[in-house]
Amino acid sequence: MRFGQTLTLLKLLLDRRITATPRRVFRQLKTEGRLRGGVREKLSRGLLRQIGLLRYMLRWLDGESISRHGDRYVLNTFLPPFPGPAFERLFTAQLSRRRWIPVSAYLAVTSRCPANCWHCSIKNRKQAELPLDVWLKTIAGLHEIGASIFGITGGEPLVRADLADIVRAVKAGGGEAMIFTSGIGFDEKKAMELKNAGLWAVCVSLDRTNASEFERLRNFSGALETAEQTLRIAKDVGLYTCVNCVADRQNMRRGLYKELYARSKELHVDEFRLIEPMPCGHLSDAGDKGDAESPFLFPEQVKEIRRFHRETNRKLRRDKQGRLPPKVCSFNEIESPELFGCAAGTRHLFIDPSGEVCPCDFTPLSFGNIADEPIGVIWDRMSTAMRHPRRHCLIQHQTELIRQATRAETPAPLPISLQTAEVFTNIPGDNELPDFVRWIES
C-alpha cells in the first residue's frame, strides 16, 4: 500500500466520528447475539485472526483511493460516504446475522428519455412512469429493509418534475442518492434544487471523446457538450461527480477509456466508473464474443480494466492546487471473485419504470411489482430465490437461459423468474462464494 494511502487510513482509524460507528454496532450486535458468525469468530478470537482481517482490508484498499468530499470521505460509489446514517446502516447490515440486505437499490423512475443510447439496458421493457406516491412508499420500504445507496435512473430521470421530491425522500430516510443522467435538462437551477434536496452524486454517461461519434451513439445533438457541461455545473455546486464509461470492445482496442480518463481529469471529476457492455436492452441481440462486431469484451480486456483500476488508483497524487485526480471504479474489479462478486438480487436490486423488481439493471427477471406488493415482501422472495452473491456476473454467465426466460415478455414474469432462478442456482459451481462473502460467512 502506498505511503499516502496508509496515512489516510491511519487518520481515519484515529477519527472518532468514523470509528465510533463500527465499535458501537459491533458491541450492540454481539450483545444481542445478532453478530454474523464469521465476523464474530474472526474479531473475537485472538490477535492472529484480527491481523488476518487487517491484511485483507489492506490488500483490498491497496487498489483503491480514499478521498475527501466536503466533510466526509468516499471510497467509491459502491459504498456510501462516511461518516453518516447510510454508512452506519451499511455497516450494520454487513455484520448482522439477518438474511441478505440490499446495500444498493437502483430506481428507474421513468422510461421517458430524449436520447436513445446504444447500450440502454431498459429497451424492450414497458414504457411507463409510476406516480410519486408509489415511489415514496417504496423508498420508505427500502429504508426499512436496510438500503443505503439509491441510484436514480431511467430513462432520463431529469424529465420528472418531482425528481427533487424523490431525492428528498431518500435523504430524509437516511440513504444517499445519486442520479445517472445524460445531462439533458441539467442546469444551475436544477443542480441547486437537487443538492438542497439532499443529492449526493451525479453520474454522467461518457464513452467517446469525439463529439460526432458520441452524438451518433447517443442519438441527440450536442451530446458531448451536454455531458461535460453537466459535470462542470455539478462540480461547481459541490456535488460528487462521476463519469460513467461503458467500455465496449472498440473502446478498449482504441484505448479510448484512457483518453476519457484524461478528459475526466481535466474536468476535475471525482470518480471515473468503468463498466463493460451487458447482453440486455439494446444489446440483447448483439451476438456473442465470437462475432467480429460484438461489443462484448474478451477476457484479456477485462483483465486490462481491472489492472487500470488498481494501477491508476495507486499512482494518484494531488496537484499544486491540492486536487486529487479522479479515482477509478470498475465493476470488473469491485465485483470480482476476489472481492464482493455479483450482488444481483442479494445485495442489490433494480426497479424498472413499470415497477417490476429485478436482481439488477441488466437481469430482466421480475420477482414482483411495487404497485401490487410492498418492496419488503418482494425483496424476501427475490433474495431467497437468488440465495447468495456469486463469483461471476449473472447475466453474462447465464445469458442464454435468461434469453429463453424473456422470449415472450421482458422482464420475465414471476413464475418464470422463480423457475429460472431455481435452474441456475443448481448449476455446478454456482454455490461458490466471493472471497469477501466467504470471509464474513465462515
Side-chain angles (χ1 to χ4, degrees), residues 207 245-249 251-252 257 274-277 295 297 305:
D207 40 46
C245 175
V246 180
D248 61 323
R249 191 181 294 180
N251 184 312
M252 296 296 297
Y257 71 98
L274 268 170
I275 182 172
E276 60 179 307
L297 302 188
I305 284 179

Side-chain angles (χ1 to χ4, degrees), residues 161-183:
D162 56 8
L163 181 59
D165 294 319
I166 294 173
V167 170
R168 193 172 292 110
V170 170
K171 186 66 174 179
E176 294 291 347
M178 56 189 299
I179 63 168
F180 294 87
T181 178
S182 63

Side-chain angles (χ1 to χ4, degrees), residues 391-427:
R391 292 181 71 84
H392 52 257
C393 172
L394 183 63
I395 182 64
Q396 289 188 325
H397 279 249
Q398 305 297 345
T399 304
E400 191 52 42
L401 184 61
I402 293 172
R403 279 177 180 163
Q404 293 174 13
T406 56
R407 190 163 293 162
E409 187 178 350
T410 303
L414 176 58
I416 294 177
S417 297
L418 288 170
Q419 293 169 12
T420 304
E422 183 65 25
V423 172
F424 60 62
T425 53
N426 285 298
I427 293 174

Side-chain angles (χ1 to χ4, degrees), residues 190-252:
K190 178 61 70 174
M192 285 307 304
E193 178 188 21
L194 293 173
K195 186 174 189 292
N196 290 336
L199 186 68
W200 165 43
V202 173
C203 195
V204 180
S205 298
L206 193 60
D207 40 46
R208 291 293 188 275
T209 52
N210 179 274
S212 60
E213 187 178 7
F214 186 62
E215 185 173 305
R216 176 178 59 81
L217 291 173
R218 299 289 170 172
N219 290 288
F220 73 92
S221 179
L224 184 60
E225 177 54 31
T226 298
E228 294 191 348
Q229 183 64 7
T230 296
L231 289 165
R232 293 189 192 97
I233 293 171
K235 187 73 177 178
D236 286 346
V237 302
L239 292 166
Y240 187 81
T241 54
C242 312
V243 161
N244 200 56
C245 175
V246 180
D248 61 323
R249 191 181 294 180
Q250 185 180 157
N251 184 312
M252 296 296 297

Side-chain angles (χ1 to χ4, degrees), residues 23-88:
R23 290 175 184 274
R24 179 176 53 76
V25 170
F26 178 78
R27 286 195 302 266
Q28 180 181 343
L29 292 177
K30 185 178 179 182
T31 299
E32 297 172 355
R34 294 193 296 121
L35 193 64
R36 198 176 288 272
V39 178
R40 183 179 64 250
E41 180 183 353
K42 291 177 177 64
L43 294 185
S44 302
R45 296 186 182 178
L47 181 61
L48 287 178
R49 289 187 181 274
Q50 295 185 32
I51 291 175
L53 167 62
L54 182 60
R55 285 176 177 169
Y56 181 88
M57 295 293 292
L58 291 175
R59 187 167 63 249
W60 167 37
L61 292 173
D62 184 42
E64 302 299 331
S65 175
I66 303 171
S67 60
R68 192 80 179 258
H69 182 249
D71 61 350
R72 299 189 292 177
Y73 293 93
V74 179
L75 187 64
N76 55 51
T77 44
F78 273 75
L79 301 170
F82 54 93
F87 166 70
E88 180 172 340

